[in-house]
Amino acid sequence: MATTVSDSSEPSNRYRAAQIGLTRLLVRDVRGIRRLIIPSRLQESVPDWLAAMQAIVDQYARTSSLLAADFYDAQREAAGVTGVFTAPVSDPPPSEQAEASLRWATKDLWLRDPEDPKTTDAQREPIETRLAQAEKKAEQVAQKLVTDTGRGTVREAVRQDRQATAWARSAALGACAFCKLLASRGAVYKRDTADFRAHDGCHCGVVPVFKGQRFELSPHAREWERIYREFAAPHSGDQLRRFRLALAEHDSNPLPGSN
């Protein structure tokens, strides 16, 4: 008998909650090493901070990947498909990728000539403000690197597993319009779909779908799909803006402050 899988099943919600909990611990540890950046010694102290950040990202990315692999294996067992397969655990993001992202987060720390027309407003702020902004950006960068590792683990398992057919995006009730739109499409992301479009702070999950399974949108994702078809789909080139406006008015779970 075919099983049904949804973007808001209890296991999917538990898995997303586990990844969010991991993010909270990640942010705590990122804030804990902020003291390594010494404003009067940026040239010497930022590399030490980068090395510590790389170690934190690696540690949490491995945990994110393990959580994702366990989730995939449990979903596969629940689907009752044949054959033996164990989800491969993805490696942490390449050090070059992590370093480039973290250097972007700290690019405004360095002292620049305020009269130089190339100097941005952010770079003219006091060092305390620039440090706070760099810390916030670093938290966002680390969160995306870590969460992407978990999402990549599920997508790679779908790609390798002959019993998997597709994956769907799982978005929280309070997700942004972009995430709600992609989640409302259901299990349209096939085995060879390579990319997962995510933004900083995105906690969307990846739900695998197996042979013989029927994917069913959750009630809230069906509502998003209806809102998109009614208010945004006919307007080529302007769908996302119109969808965002329509969600603010018609979504039963609008973003805080959207009304």
Side-chain angles (χ1 to χ4, degrees):
M1 182 177 178
T3 59
T4 300
V5 63
S6 169
D7 55 291
S8 67
S9 64
E10 186 177 343
S12 296
N13 290 338
R14 283 201 308 267
Y15 168 60
R16 190 170 58 240
Q19 291 285 7
I20 292 173
L22 188 68
T23 292
R24 293 194 183 101
L25 296 176
L26 168 69
V27 169
R28 178 203 64 188
D29 287 356
V30 168
R31 291 176 180 175
I33 64 168
R34 153 71 177 76
R35 66 185 185 279
L36 294 178
I37 299 180
I38 303 171
S40 61
R41 298 176 54 242
L42 290 178
Q43 200 71 36
E44 298 84 4
S45 62
V46 168
D48 292 338
W49 173 84
L50 283 171
M53 281 293 296
Q54 181 73 64
I56 288 174
V57 168
D58 284 356
Q59 173 191 349
Y60 278 92
R62 290 190 183 94
T63 304
S64 178
S65 188
L66 286 169
L67 286 172
D70 287 346
F71 167 69
Y72 184 90
D73 292 341
Q75 290 293 95
R76 192 180 195 276
E77 181 178 356
V81 296
T82 60
V84 177
F85 179 85
T86 300
V89 178
S90 298
D91 292 328
S95 58
E96 302 82 14
Q97 177 188 356
E99 182 177 347
S101 298
L102 292 168
R103 286 193 179 279
W104 168 84
T106 57
K107 65 182 177 63
D108 292 337
L109 285 179
W110 311 98
L111 187 63
R112 290 171 172 82
D113 181 359
E115 302 303 320
D116 188 335
K118 294 183 180 180
T119 301
T120 65
D121 290 341
Q123 293 163 349
R124 293 188 176 95
E125 294 286 349
I127 184 60
E128 294 80 9
T129 302
R130 285 182 280 139
L131 278 169
Q133 292 170 342
E135 181 180 48
K136 183 176 181 179
K137 289 179 181 178
E139 291 172 8
Q140 293 172 337
V141 162
Q143 182 271 333
K144 188 172 185 303
L145 289 168
V146 166
T147 310
D148 277 351
T149 305
R151 289 188 284 242
T153 296
V154 178
R155 289 188 294 107
E156 180 60 20
V158 169
R159 190 186 70 81
Q160 293 187 25
D161 188 357
R162 292 180 180 274
Q163 296 298 321
T165 59
W167 55 269
R169 190 184 188 107
S170 171
L173 294 179
C176 69
F178 172 78
C179 292
K180 288 180 177 180
L181 173 58
L182 295 183
S184 72
R185 293 176 176 172
V188 299
Y189 308 100
K190 303 305 179 184
R191 289 184 60 195
D192 58 352
T193 302
D195 195 20
F196 184 103
R197 299 172 65 189
H199 55 78
D200 291 340
C202 176
H203 292 291
C204 288
V206 180
V207 181
V209 182
F210 300 95
K211 289 181 179 179
Q213 273 194 319
R214 181 171 59 87
F215 182 82
E216 188 175 271
L217 283 175
S218 61
H220 55 263
R222 285 200 303 272
E223 181 182 14
W224 301 335
E225 197 268 340
R226 178 191 61 79
I227 291 172
Y228 176 77
R229 281 191 290 104
E230 184 174 348
F231 297 99
H235 304 278
S236 178
D238 197 28
Q239 285 102 332
L240 182 58
R241 185 186 71 85
R242 287 178 175 271
F243 183 56
R244 185 181 295 113
L245 294 174
L247 285 174
E249 185 174 355
H250 302 285
D251 188 7
S252 60
N253 296 284
L255 287 173
S258 62
N259 291 326

